[in-house]
Amino acid sequence: MIRVGVADDQAVVRMGLSALIARESDLELVGEAADGAQAVALVRRERPDVLLLDIRMPGMDGLQVLRAIAADPSLHGTRIVVVTTFAVDEYVFAALQAGASGFLLKDSAPDELVSAIRVVAAGEALLSPAITRKVIGLFGRHGGAEPVDGVDTLTPREKELVAWVATGRSNEEIAKELVISRDTVRTHVSRAMVKLHARDRAQLVVFAMRAGLVLPS
């Protein structure tokens, strides 16, 4: 059972997301929040597996919520999906740095929303290639590569596969591109995550960009 929290200042959005979660046998709604402070309180109280978080809310906004949760090690078991009306905006990279596991549009199809919850709960990143390309572009404007602890311990193959992860592709897609097995990709990516102390694939993408481990465009 995947335990899910919903944080959005619009009651109709909360109602819709909650109803969607309630109809799935493997999902359980554990609480709702109408603002950022309530969202943090919800996570502290219920420890949901996944929090669907609106980025723009009164009081504490989504970024502040992300940072508050990231600052508390006891809350790191909660994966956060930013649910927004904006496909890509300037806050995307900041949200990833603050701990978001992915992004989802509010007008996504119901099946996409449900699938997103399951994907993130499994530790995967919810980042489309279009979003990762935009994030890479934003990061390029914010500065070059910087030191990332553990990067020097990566093997050349691990660095290559981390760069592929930063394109937003899944293990299966990377395997097809490189003509190797999916298990091989998974093994190298998992080892890289351990060495870099990456919480999930979304954080691995952030580390890859910070370290300059991105494929040529």
Side-chain angles (χ1 to χ4, degrees), residues 161-184:
L161 288 172
V162 168
W164 276 99
V165 169
T167 67
R169 289 173 172 83
S170 66
N171 286 350
E172 185 173 0
E173 291 168 333
I174 294 170
K176 288 180 180 178
E177 290 279 358
L178 300 180
V179 195
I180 57 178
S181 74
R182 184 169 54 182
D183 286 343
T184 297

Side-chain angles (χ1 to χ4, degrees), residues 13-28:
V13 173
R14 294 197 307 275
M15 187 186 309
L17 291 173
S18 298
L20 187 63
I21 292 164
R23 78 179 193 183
E24 300 296 324
S25 62
D26 62 331
L27 305 182
E28 177 188 2

Side-chain angles (χ1 to χ4, degrees), residues 50-113:
V50 177
L51 176 68
L52 302 180
L53 176 67
D54 185 11
I55 202 70
R56 302 187 181 223
M57 291 187 293
M60 290 180 72
D61 64 19
L63 287 177
Q64 292 172 307
V65 171
L66 282 162
R67 291 173 183 138
I69 291 172
D72 186 342
S74 70
L75 305 182
H76 289 181
T78 296
R79 308 291 187 208
I80 301 176
V81 177
V82 171
V83 185
T84 177
T85 54
F86 304 93
V88 180
D89 205 340
E90 290 293 319
Y91 62 72
V92 168
F93 188 68
L96 283 174
Q97 284 187 306
S101 291
F103 294 84
L104 198 61
L105 292 180
K106 288 184 179 179
D107 61 359
S108 297
D111 288 348
E112 289 181 290
L113 287 160

Side-chain angles (χ1 to χ4, degrees), residues 90 93-94 97 137-144:
E90 290 293 319
F93 188 68
Q97 284 187 306
L138 289 172
F139 183 70
R141 296 203 300 273
H142 293 162

Side-chain angles (χ1 to χ4, degrees), residues 6-19 29 32-35:
V6 174
D8 196 293
D9 63 330
Q10 297 181 21
V12 67
V13 173
R14 294 197 307 275
M15 187 186 309
L17 291 173
S18 298
L29 179 69
E32 299 180 17
D35 59 38

